[in-house]
Amino acid sequence: MDRERRVTMQVGSCHCGKVKFEVEGEFAEAMECNCSHCSRKGYLLWFVPREQLHLQTPQDDLSTYRFNRHVIDHHFCPNCGCAPFGFGTAPDGKATAAVNIRCLEGVDLTSVKRVPVDGRSY
């Protein structure tokens, strides 16, 4: 008997709506990193395999910021400056997306467990 795979799709965007995306999956917690970049922007991050994030905006329409070791492409909207996600490589070598859950529609942030990460030590 075949079971249909149920996929939950989360919808997200930047503030002005120019950058739009969908991401497959569900989360119960998000990483709250204390590095200089994440703490200043207030990121709450959910990491997924890169193939689970589907851009609805052409990638050429995104601006990119790299700092420190230049291993993560922090993407943001060139119009409103909002930074909904970044792309990088996990320790196992697989392509990864770091989704800022603050940019997902309908997320009750009070119900999300925050996992502190000491990014300042990396």
Side-chain angles (χ1 to χ4, degrees):
M1 174 184 233
D2 284 333
R3 292 186 184 186
E4 187 175 318
R5 180 177 165 225
R6 182 180 166 175
V7 176
T8 302
M9 197 66 75
Q10 307 282 336
V11 175
S13 69
C14 64
H15 186 257
C16 73
K18 183 175 180 175
V19 175
K20 296 179 182 179
F21 64 97
E22 295 179 338
V23 61
E24 296 175 38
E26 294 185 32
F27 60 91
E29 61 186 38
M31 290 177 37
E32 189 168 28
C33 178
N34 68 358
C35 79
S36 61
H37 188 248
C38 292
S39 62
R40 281 183 174 88
K41 291 196 171 181
Y43 283 136
L44 291 175
L45 298 172
W46 168 38
F47 286 82
V48 298
R50 172 61 185 90
E51 65 268 10
Q52 287 180 219
L53 190 138
H54 310 284
L55 290 174
Q56 307 300 308
T57 301
Q59 191 159 345
D60 290 345
D61 288 356
L62 305 173
S63 289
T64 303
Y65 177 67
R66 293 179 194 94
F67 75 107
N68 195 8
R69 294 181 287 161
H70 296 246
V71 296
I72 300 173
D73 293 339
H74 299 275
H75 294 297
F76 63 96
C77 175
N79 187 51
C80 69
C82 190
F85 54 83
F87 297 148
T89 304
D92 64 3
K94 293 183 181 174
T96 303
V99 179
N100 182 2
I101 66 166
R102 291 181 183 273
C103 295
L104 297 174
E105 293 179 7
V107 174
D108 176 10
L109 294 174
T110 63
S111 69
V112 178
K113 178 183 175 188
R114 296 176 187 208
V115 178
V117 173
D118 185 14
R120 288 184 181 172
S121 297
Y122 294 150

